[in-house]
Amino acid sequence: MASTQKPIDGNSPSKANDEITNVEIQRPSEHAIDDSPAASLQVIKNGVVVSSATKPPARDLRTAWLYIFDWYPSHYSNEEKRLLKKQDRIILPLICLMYFIKWLDQSNITNAYNSGMKEDLGIKGIQYNLFSTFYNVGYLIMEIPVMLVISRPQFSRFVLPVCETLWTIITFVQCRNNSVPMIYGMRFLMGLLETPAATGSLYILTSWYRSDEVFKRAGVWYISSNIGAAFGGYMQAAAYKGLDGTLGMAGWRWVFIIDGVISLPIALSGFFLIPGLPTSPRIWWLKEEEQLLAQARMQTDGVRKSRRIGKRMLKRVFTHWHFYFAIALYVCFQLTTWVGGQMGLWVKSTKQYSVELINILPTGTQLMAIVAGVLIPSFAMVYPIWMPFSFAATVLLFCNICLRVWNIPLGMKFAAWFLMGFNSCMTPMIFPFIHLIMKDDNEARAFTTGAMMTIGWAFFSWYNVVVFPVTESPRFARGFTASICLITIYMSLFIVGYIFWQRDIRNGLYKRAIEEEENEEALDRKIEEEDAKIESIHLEEKK
């Protein structure tokens, strides 16, 4: 097994561990692709050979894009490939399903609004916008606290399934919505309970996958939201057609019941399958040697173990550029996303399509999002991440310019709305990138990603009401103008952040983090040995 392989050159494990800091780890995501031969030097951490920490074979830039299909690189050991495949069979599908039902729940309020709820409950003016506002308020209240809880190894296994079970109950209750104030309350509770579904899932993902593996998985994870939104449209159309009037309930009410039935088994399975963090108590489906390998893989990638939350963490957060960059980047991006899901308002305003088509046509945006969400983040593993990020941002800039002009051919307008699906590939690049540049401190990255969501949703909760009021739909002249400016800003910010990150690599920030952790481990071992000696002396004296 991986934990019993011999160290290189016949050295003892302790000597090999002392020498690991002298091994330079290079990965496509951090360095330009070159023509140098692949490194054959083994990397050993705590007696475990970590093949993924060695440099992969060199690739020609013209064919490097083929790497996006290589999920299990050839230079990985058989033990590491087996572990990675096991993670892909259990962790990845489960967090995808959880994110899927989050977006299924979230999109169904829009589908219900367009399918009769507006008329049944007498929803007027900006009340529709306020549904998102109350959801966002609940979301931002819980974001930082729940992220700090997830960063604790002993609790991380239970946060997601507990919250998901509770929000499933709220989903069932929504079928009885009978007034606008009741919807406000339900949306607030949904926001509270769905908080860990996004950043929590991504935190767990980035805790089990190395930086040169995570972008592919993050893309697959994120498109589950688009599948959820698209599926919600088809489900609402089917419910309206097949269940409208059944048991005296409108079709839009049935969709919440169906949603809850889908959600409940996924929520319950989380109690038995979510492993928490690599340093959490070992879960039943993971062997002991596999957990040791998982820990070694992440430590050699520069990811620090969880430590106590306190002044040290706050100092790391507020005295480095990463926090301010992450907040500004995400806020600018987040404010441009809401309108991408509002194609249904335009389709309905034309008065040319049936209720079924009003629900089905906007799923084209979600289907485009699935393609973009899988492909674009994968290119971040073979080319500098600013390239695929800038490409996607340019596409979104083009879409918003077209919709701001508005008076364009019908086919181009459909294309612009569909290409808004490129929003889906941004989050799988933004959040893993923030985890990557802050991997030297688990608690700081948990706090920062939580703060990104909190501050982002704080702006989002009022921004759409002011800039994208539904009374101005579907043209949203002010909104599209603002989005053009914000996309330009966040694209520029990302390139600046990339340059700063490369400076940190050259200055040895992440190498020092590995060295500090190894020194702390060595000191802890020494203290344990001294304590054991003292205890043995006391036992001898008693005899």
Side-chain angles (χ1 to χ4, degrees), residues 211-358:
S211 56
D212 46 359
E213 301 162 351
V214 71
F215 286 95
K216 288 187 182 76
R217 277 82 180 178
V220 172
W221 163 79
Y222 193 77
I223 65 164
S224 58
S225 66
N226 305 108
I227 295 174
F231 183 76
Y234 295 123
M235 188 167 69
Q236 181 65 68
Y240 184 86
K241 186 175 182 179
L243 293 173
D244 190 36
T246 303
L247 298 180
M249 290 196 300
W252 64 265
R253 294 185 184 275
W254 277 103
V255 78
F256 292 109
I257 297 175
I258 298 170
D259 191 356
V261 170
I262 294 171
S263 302
L264 189 58
I266 298 173
L268 296 178
S269 67
F271 287 101
F272 304 99
L273 295 175
I274 290 182
L277 307 178
T279 52
S280 297
R282 184 169 60 88
I283 197 168
W284 64 272
W285 55 263
L286 203 62
K287 298 178 182 177
E288 184 176 355
E289 57 268 25
E290 290 175 332
Q291 184 159 19
L292 291 173
L293 177 57
Q295 294 171 0
R297 275 166 38 84
M298 300 312 296
Q299 290 173 29
T300 56
D301 197 36
V303 177
R304 296 288 295 266
K305 291 181 179 178
S306 298
R307 294 182 289 174
R308 185 175 300 173
I309 297 172
K311 293 181 180 179
R312 172 205 54 78
M313 183 271 288
L314 294 175
K315 182 180 179 181
R316 168 64 179 86
V317 168
F318 293 114
T319 60
H320 287 69
W321 63 270
H322 308 102
F323 176 80
Y324 307 99
F325 161 74
I327 298 300
L329 177 68
Y330 187 69
V331 168
C332 290
F333 164 70
Q334 178 75 346
L335 298 182
T336 66
T337 59
W338 181 83
V339 72
Q342 306 309 313
M343 182 180 174
L345 296 176
W346 168 64
V347 175
K348 186 174 183 178
S349 71
T350 63
K351 299 183 176 163
Q352 298 178 7
Y353 303 98
S354 65
V355 172
E356 289 83 358
L357 284 177
I358 290 172

Side-chain angles (χ1 to χ4, degrees), residues 134-187:
F134 277 89
Y135 178 91
N136 297 340
V137 170
Y139 209 94
L140 66 90
I141 287 174
M142 283 291 288
E143 187 61 50
I144 292 178
V146 82
M147 285 304 297
L148 292 178
V149 172
I150 286 180
S151 72
R152 304 297 84 202
Q154 64 270 36
F155 301 128
S156 57
R157 280 185 57 186
F158 306 105
V159 176
L160 280 171
V162 167
C163 288
E164 186 175 353
T165 301
L166 292 175
W167 96 53
T168 298
I169 295 172
I170 300 298
T171 300
F172 280 118
V173 174
Q174 286 187 94
C175 76
R176 307 308 300 172
N177 282 336
N178 55 27
S179 68
V180 170
M182 182 177 177
I183 298 176
Y184 290 160
M186 292 297 100
R187 298 305 293 168

